[in-house]
Amino acid sequence: MTSQGSVGVVEPQCAHFSEPLALRSGGVLPAYDLVFETYGTLNAARSNAVLVCHALSGSHHVAGTYAGQPKSLGWWDNLVGPGKPLDTNKFFVVGVNNLGGCFGSTGPISINPTTGEAWGASFPFVTVEDWVDAQARLADRLGIDAWAAVLGGSLGGMQALAWTLRHPDRVRHGMVIAAAPQLSTENIAFNEVARQAILTDPEFHGGDYAKHGVVPTRGLRLARMIGHITYLSDDSMAEKFGRKLRHGEHKYHYGVEFEIESYLNYQGDKFAKFFDANTYLLTTKALDYFDPAFDYGGDLKAALARAKAKFFLASFTTDWRFPPARSRELVYTLLHNGRDVSYAEIDSNAGHDSFLLDEPHYHAAMRAYFANIEV
Amino acid sequence: MTSQGSVGVVEPQCAHFSEPLALRSGGVLPAYDLVFETYGTLNAARSNAVLVCHALSGSHHVAGTYAGQPKSLGWWDNLVGPGKPLDTNKFFVVGVNNLGGCFGSTGPISINPTTGEAWGASFPFVTVEDWVDAQARLADRLGIDAWAAVLGGSLGGMQALAWTLRHPDRVRHGMVIAAAPQLSTENIAFNEVARQAILTDPEFHGGDYAKHGVVPTRGLRLARMIGHITYLSDDSMAEKFGRKLRHGEHKYHYGVEFEIESYLNYQGDKFAKFFDANTYLLTTKALDYFDPAFDYGGDLKAALARAKAKFFLASFTTDWRFPPARSRELVYTLLHNGRDVSYAEIDSNAGHDSFLLDEPHYHAAMRAYFANIEV
């Protein structure tokens, strides 16, 4: 299952929506922009469109590179392209930055037109359902009545699931990868520690750090370090870093001693330079809140009864953030509702991050599933 | 296996050691105090002494209560007492606060006699082996040539193991609970995030916060919150807290929303009030460094060849910090060295914290093992 061609050089587009969006929190976003990218060509029947939803730190930049920036590869480039599992010779693929994001779509770093200042801490809480509603308007704008498929991994998978519930007639295939019907207690716990790292950073200033000309770097890097541990598996970390020492001996200091420390600090530093702290907070809350069964008194089967799509789910054996058991919960419930479900439980030692990798069986399963989608 | 009587009201003692202690780091501690408690009576043959080693946040206060403080129960009180698994009618039990600790033994908050100021950041790195050597001098002081048993859970278990290697003739039974022959990469990763939380707290001041009259509370509470997640199991958190909401509905704020958030914040706040940040840093480093095989080119079997003790090991099925597989590594290696090993793999849903609980099969195994130790 080697990857084939690239979609090549791509360029983001921006769609402005001036109609207010009512949010699940009770708030209203008066107007908003969505930044998105497309790959492939929408067919005449407008039946070959696929929406790719991103996870916590992802963006609209799913595939290809930007002009003059050969290292700017999209985050799911191994999946999307001509001849790749999600084949752009067949499908018209759309990637979109979520509301509340920090990569161009309206979010905390955007200007609030009412005040003329950045939204900052005053940006309203957004949920997975709000993202889906905002994306539905983008579908309208692009003339797409129904997606051939909506897919995503992790939080992106939750969006794919929410699409099948919120707009059941507008998605033919829901593809929910490395996700869960809701966060576990432990998932929420990790999110809360990450949030506390940001919220208690003296440079957070109640979310209005921009006004103070600072960034809560300490908090953001800790949040990312914590998150990163949960994306990897014990096995993959052991294989990659083991107990390898940077200096070959114990130095008895608080600088980098083990290679894993170097890696985590590097990941934290890198992330803190490009990601917005308010977006991080909002996004982890969207994760915490997501729970289709919540409005049904905890009855997941009743909550999923609205879905009309066919489903593809995949999980990874060493994913301890969203373990296979969480995907099976969804699979069984969908089956009990009489839905058509394909499920792949993939042997992988790469933990939650597996969904971003081109593990051969995983990509073969995705390739076969996409090949069998009629357009 | 109900717990029996209490050791009652206890009082810590302090032993001063004026002979310098050479440390594994190359440093030297010119003199030191060890605070300890004892329960039961040393027999005439001095053959019934048991040393209990503590883990990261533990202390010398293993059993009983302090006068006038009925809530000041020792951390392993369910195990130690008259008629309890570690029966003080039979054994003379010693608990000791480790060097570098913050509960009375010499550590960063103690006065460095050379400077007349608190050691703070200048306190030397201490290792598991150093703790054991310091404890050996306490044994000398108490007239104990050989311990009937040395035991501990987690980092305490590592000390028990180190005792059997460092002073093979002075320990007849090594009891290593919920431990591992060394930290995994993931263990180190969590420790490093916790340390970074403290080290980057603006009130840490390079470890000399005391001189500035402040405490790195933010960092300490984050460190504890991270740690706490790893002490529990996914299952036990789900059972205890699930997705229970504090207010019954989503409030869309960054205050406490889910009960698990309340619990973690409470644990973090509580810990930051009584634990010293430098001790936390030193102790996590002692955990990282511990690796008996390190001086043997990674050959654990060779490293353990010195041990002469009989062994008891126990692990807990949902402990993902030190999973059963890590105990089995030790069990198999000790068996290949021809040692006498008892091993109990206990079904428990309480994660790493299980070693502190009175899970019936676990306590039955401990009770039986102690009953069969000849004194």
Side-chain angles (χ1 to χ4, degrees):
Chain A
M1 285 306 114
T2 41
S3 293
Q4 310 293 315
S6 166
V7 300
V9 170
V10 297
E11 212 170 332
Q13 306 171 57
C14 186
H16 180 74
F17 299 87
S18 51
E19 203 186 326
L21 184 73
L23 304 170
R24 191 175 159 87
S25 64
V28 173
L29 206 55
Y32 61 94
D33 291 338
L34 286 183
V35 166
F36 66 101
E37 291 181 12
T38 70
Y39 324 103
T41 309
L42 188 62
N43 63 9
R46 298 175 176 276
S47 64
N48 70 333
V50 172
L51 176 65
V52 176
C53 303
H54 69 74
L56 204 159
S57 61
S59 74
H60 52 283
H61 184 43
V62 176
T65 54
Y66 294 138
Q69 300 174 52
K71 286 187 174 172
S72 63
L73 209 62
W75 58 268
W76 223 349
D77 189 83
N78 61 26
L79 186 81
V80 179
K84 290 184 180 173
L86 175 39
D87 189 345
T88 50
N89 291 327
K90 176 181 179 184
F91 292 105
F92 174 67
V93 179
V94 179
V96 55
N97 186 213
N98 285 332
L99 276 184
C102 53
F103 297 119
S105 292
T106 297
I109 60 172
S110 310
I111 300 300
N112 175 354
T114 316
T115 63
E117 291 188 346
W119 282 97
S122 68
F123 194 84
F125 280 85
V126 284
T127 63
V128 171
E129 289 80 6
D130 300 326
W131 289 336
V132 165
D133 289 352
Q135 290 159 359
R137 290 196 187 163
L138 179 64
D140 296 341
R141 185 72 56 89
L142 297 172
I144 297 161
D145 283 342
W147 300 101
V150 177
L151 80 152
S154 193
L155 182 52
M158 290 174 165
Q159 292 169 66
L161 177 61
W163 257 100
T164 70
L165 305 177
R166 194 109 181 135
H167 304 284
D169 294 313
R170 302 193 68 177
V171 48
R172 294 193 284 125
H173 296 270
M175 299 176 68
V176 181
I177 320 289
Q182 54 174 210
L183 291 198
S184 72
T185 319
E186 190 184 78
N187 294 150
I188 297 173
F190 278 118
N191 277 350
E192 173 62 3
V193 182
R195 278 192 298 268
Q196 286 296 320
I198 293 171
L199 292 166
T200 65
D201 185 323
E203 298 195 316
F204 181 64
H205 296 289
D208 291 324
Y209 39 89
K211 283 186 194 159
H212 292 76
V214 293
V215 170
T217 305
R218 296 180 193 90
L220 255 178
R221 72 190 287 281
L222 290 171
R224 181 58 165 181
M225 290 169 86
I226 295 165
H228 217 88
I229 297 176
T230 71
Y231 305 150
L232 303 177
S233 73
D234 198 11
D235 287 355
S236 64
M237 268 201 259
E239 195 173 287
K240 198 166 175 184
F241 303 103
R243 291 179 53 92
K244 263 180 255 163
L245 292 163
R246 167 60 67 90
H247 308 285
E249 57 175 359
H250 298 156
K251 299 294 274 186
Y252 301 100
H253 65 184
Y254 294 121
V256 166
E257 190 103 67
F258 293 92
E259 290 291 352
I260 182 65
E261 297 173 307
S262 170
Y263 174 78
L264 278 181
N265 280 287
Y266 171 79
Q267 294 293 339
D269 289 339
K270 193 173 77 167
F271 188 73
K273 282 190 190 112
F274 76 83
F275 207 84
D276 177 59
N278 283 314
T279 290
Y280 198 92
L281 293 173
L282 285 175
T283 308
T284 58
K285 288 296 278 189
L287 269 161
D288 287 5
Y289 290 133
F290 182 69
D291 184 5
F294 186 73
D295 294 336
Y296 292 81
D299 185 342
L300 186 62
K301 186 164 179 285
L304 301 187
R306 281 170 300 165
K308 296 179 179 176
K310 295 183 177 184
F311 283 88
F312 172 91
L313 287 92
S315 69
F316 301 92
T317 47
T318 54
D319 182 350
W320 60 282
R321 189 176 174 92
F322 296 131
R326 304 308 311 277
S327 285
R328 276 184 243 132
E329 273 181 63
L330 273 174
V331 168
Y332 296 145
T333 309
L334 290 166
L335 288 174
H336 282 292
N337 278 347
R339 303 253 50 82
D340 185 327
V341 184
S342 297
Y343 175 52
E345 199 165 298
I346 307 287
D347 275 318
S348 164
N349 86 336
H352 187 58
D353 265 357
S354 300
F355 85 85
L356 295 167
L357 308 179
D358 58 356
E359 202 288 321
H361 295 317
Y362 165 48
H363 268 203
M366 296 279 268
R367 182 183 289 276
Y369 195 82
F370 278 116
N372 286 297
I373 292 180
E374 286 178 25
V375 298
Chain B
M1 283 310 114
T2 40
S3 292
Q4 310 295 315
S6 166
V7 298
V9 170
V10 297
E11 211 170 335
Q13 305 171 59
C14 185
H16 180 74
F17 299 88
S18 51
E19 202 187 326
L21 184 74
L23 305 170
R24 192 174 157 88
S25 64
V28 173
L29 206 54
Y32 61 95
D33 291 338
L34 287 182
V35 166
F36 65 102
E37 292 180 12
T38 70
Y39 323 104
T41 308
L42 189 60
N43 63 10
R46 298 176 178 274
S47 63
N48 70 335
V50 171
L51 176 66
V52 176
C53 303
H54 70 75
L56 204 158
S57 60
S59 74
H60 51 284
H61 184 42
V62 176
T65 54
Y66 293 138
Q69 302 174 51
K71 286 187 173 173
S72 64
L73 207 62
W75 57 270
W76 222 348
D77 189 82
N78 61 26
L79 186 81
V80 179
K84 291 184 180 174
L86 176 37
D87 190 345
T88 49
N89 291 327
K90 175 179 181 183
F91 293 105
F92 174 67
V93 179
V94 179
V96 55
N97 186 212
N98 286 332
L99 275 184
C102 53
F103 298 119
S105 291
T106 297
I109 61 172
S110 309
I111 300 300
N112 175 354
T114 316
T115 64
E117 291 187 347
W119 281 96
S122 69
F123 195 83
F125 281 85
V126 283
T127 63
V128 171
E129 289 80 6
D130 300 327
W131 289 335
V132 166
D133 288 353
Q135 290 158 1
R137 290 198 187 162
L138 179 63
D140 296 342
R141 183 74 54 91
L142 296 172
I144 297 162
D145 283 341
W147 300 99
V150 177
L151 80 152
S154 194
L155 181 51
M158 291 173 165
Q159 291 168 67
L161 177 62
W163 256 101
T164 68
L165 305 177
R166 194 112 181 131
H167 303 284
D169 294 313
R170 302 193 70 177
V171 47
R172 294 193 283 123
H173 296 270
M175 300 177 66
V176 181
I177 320 289
Q182 54 173 209
L183 291 199
S184 72
T185 319
E186 190 184 79
N187 294 150
I188 298 173
F190 277 119
N191 277 351
E192 172 63 2
V193 181
R195 279 192 297 267
Q196 286 296 319
I198 293 169
L199 292 166
T200 64
D201 185 321
E203 297 194 318
F204 181 64
H205 296 289
D208 290 326
Y209 39 89
K211 283 186 194 159
H212 292 77
V214 292
V215 171
T217 305
R218 297 179 193 89
L220 254 180
R221 71 190 289 280
L222 290 172
R224 181 58 166 182
M225 291 170 86
I226 295 166
H228 217 89
I229 297 176
T230 70
Y231 305 148
L232 303 178
S233 73
D234 199 9
D235 287 355
S236 64
M237 267 201 259
E239 195 174 286
K240 197 165 175 187
F241 304 104
R243 292 179 53 91
K244 262 180 256 162
L245 292 162
R246 168 60 67 92
H247 308 285
E249 57 175 359
H250 299 156
K251 300 294 273 187
Y252 300 102
H253 64 185
Y254 294 121
V256 166
E257 189 103 68
F258 293 92
E259 290 291 352
I260 181 64
E261 296 173 307
S262 170
Y263 174 78
L264 279 180
N265 280 288
Y266 171 77
Q267 293 293 338
D269 289 339
K270 192 174 76 168
F271 188 74
K273 281 188 193 116
F274 75 83
F275 207 84
D276 177 59
N278 283 316
T279 290
Y280 198 92
L281 294 173
L282 285 175
T283 309
T284 58
K285 289 294 279 189
L287 269 162
D288 287 6
Y289 291 133
F290 181 69
D291 184 5
F294 187 73
D295 293 336
Y296 292 80
D299 185 342
L300 186 62
K301 186 165 178 288
L304 301 187
R306 280 171 300 163
K308 297 179 179 175
K310 296 184 177 185
F311 284 89
F312 172 91
L313 287 93
S315 69
F316 302 91
T317 47
T318 55
D319 182 351
W320 60 282
R321 190 176 174 92
F322 296 130
R326 304 307 311 280
S327 284
R328 276 184 243 130
E329 274 180 63
L330 273 173
V331 169
Y332 296 144
T333 309
L334 289 166
L335 288 175
H336 281 292
N337 278 348
R339 302 254 51 81
D340 185 326
V341 184
S342 297
Y343 175 52
E345 199 165 299
I346 307 288
D347 275 317
S348 163
N349 87 337
H352 187 57
D353 265 356
S354 300
F355 86 85
L356 295 167
L357 307 179
D358 58 355
E359 202 287 320
H361 294 318
Y362 164 49
H363 269 204
M366 296 278 269
R367 181 182 290 275
Y369 195 83
F370 279 115
N372 287 297
I373 292 180
E374 285 177 27
V375 296

